[in-house]
Amino acid sequence: MIRPSILASLLAALCATGIAAQAGAANTTTATSAGIAVQGQGNSSDDLTSALKQRAEFIREHYSKFEYRIPVRDGKTLFTAVYMPLDASARKTYPMLLVRTPYSVAPYGAENYKAQLGPTAEYEKEGYIFVFQDVRGTNMSEGEFVNMRPHIDVKKSSADIDESSDTYDSIDWLVKHIPHNNGKVGQWGISYPGFYTSAGAIDSHPALKAVSPQAPIADWFRGDDMHRNGAFNLQMGFGFFYNFGQPRPQPTDQRGWKDFPFGTPDGYQFFLDLGPLSNVNRLHFKNGISFWNDFIAHPDYDQFWQSRNLLPHLKNIKAAVLTVGGWYDTEDLYGPLQTYRAIEKQNPGIRNTLVVGPWTHGGWTRTDGERVGDAGFGYKTVKNYQPVELAFFRHYLKDGEQPVLPEAWMFETGANRWRSFDNWPPKDSREQALYFHANGRLSFTPPGAGEDSGFDEYISDPQKPVPYTTEIMTRWSKEYIAADQRFASRRPDVLSWQSEVLDKDVTLAGPLQASLFVSTSGTDADFVVKLIDVNPPDLKDGNVNRGNQQTLVRGEPFRARYREGFDQPKAFVPGAVTPVNFGINDVFHTFQRGHRIMVQVQSSWFPFIDRNPQTFVPNIFEAKDSDFVKATQRVYHSSGQASALKVRVLPSLDAVAAP
């Protein structure tokens, strides 16, 4: 989830310049939650402040602001702010661009203006009627807020409401009551607003012509934000819901974002000292965070979580869809990949495009896209994307020229280039497997008969969990996803296998699948599988020598109690060899000749993922100190128990086959 404070210091600077009416009064919650943020990573703070000031002044000079309470079918009203171009008239009409957000449409009051309205300043210059709405039960809107509100496929009465119906009713009211609109509406949003964009596209209102769910949440248990394959995202769940989960007993325009008072910059040590998750309520939340209590009450993929999976409901979509994600999104990469697939399968014939760039969460509006962590791309990649997004909305909302958009427009990391495909994954990619061998060797060739008793082992100690980053921070890292992994590979509780030096480029394109044979001396375990690009011994990156750097390409944890189904937790039999298979989010990465491919396996990734006690308990949220035990984990790589990472290999552009 996006913490809504990324612009705080810049907006404070704007206040200091005396333009509080335009920007200082703007609540930074909305500025970032709507996916509207500062671009120009690497620019000076003075340049950014100046750009924000000019943008705010332009909006004040060219737009009027109005506020409405829009009635929906069950009688509740949703607070909505509308920014109208000053030159709008019966002869000059504009389309509407809608953002629905749980993070506030502030600043409130018709005299107080946002500092930014569109994804980029070009939208404001080109002219749209910008619409921002507090979703049901948040800030100034009436009703009860429900996290990831379940969709109702068949609505039998006006009492059957969901985010699709609220969107439909709002659009219906807007096109009938907002003057000088051209009858066309677009919707977009990043992260949680991306979820509302996806939900709003279901049973599309006829006026809804174009939607862009960006980093949309799809399923909070299997892949987005709060869980990864059933493993709980401790750092995010704790930090996010400490604030977002606070009750809002009545409509208010005063909610701001407050950080938890950790009392230390060292998140690893804080969460280790916290002990079992059962201490969170006792020491900090005092049972006052209702959704945290939902975590405790629903540790498995039961109906509570299944009903919040939006993917099966993405049907009857009539609008054109542009789904956007980032390969380095540490929060919602599962969402855009699976949203695209679900829409493609369930809505044949519509325009449905997937764009994934080399970006962090919302990085296509918040950064210039030139670098993430230890991975550099050589140029400002957002400059390729942003004009295409603008052309998408211009075409469907203003009858502009058809944008040049393939089915899938994907950035190929490693080679650092954009490529277009008629399908994703690409049709000509082929399934292969990277097999683990003795002595840390990784190969596309499976183990032979001479390797019939092979395994590697390590001791996993919950009191000394493997950190997921070397950064000292309390908030979840955005850069670990492209960080040098040598700090992990040098630990005795992390196993590594690597290929020989590649003499040809190897391009992986599509989803990954971990296929492990494991045993544990405990009765429960987590397994984290990481795909890594190993640099040659002497590789310069500007003035930095990145020789032998082990750059993370993709990493995914799996709570192995769910190996037979996320709704069917099952204990391990100590010492028994057990297959563990799980999906890992897609990659599109070229391992260049002279590099090596590495796979690492470990059993903790702390504090991004909570500690598995390694003793099977019905509910890890209620585990006791005594449940946390050391365990010996074995990963097998014999001919009959061949652990591997299954991949899809795309023929290299030089037409040389993979090894």
Side-chain angles (χ1 to χ4, degrees), residues 27 44 111 164 446 456 530 565 610 623 632:
N27 185 313
S44 71
E111 72 282 3
S164 171
D456 288 295
K530 299 185 294 186
D610 70 313
T632 299

Side-chain angles (χ1 to χ4, degrees), residues 96-127:
M96 289 181 276
L97 199 55
L98 170 66
V99 172
R100 303 188 69 240
T101 177
Y103 299 129
S104 168
V105 303
Y108 296 95
E111 72 282 3
N112 297 320
Y113 281 48
K114 283 182 174 294
Q116 303 170 335
L117 299 178
T120 65
E122 283 66 34
Y123 286 78
E124 295 141 19
K125 294 174 182 176
E126 187 168 292

Side-chain angles (χ1 to χ4, degrees), residues 316-328:
N316 197 26
I317 296 173
K318 305 302 182 185
V321 183
L322 177 67
T323 303
V324 183
W327 290 129
Y328 299 101

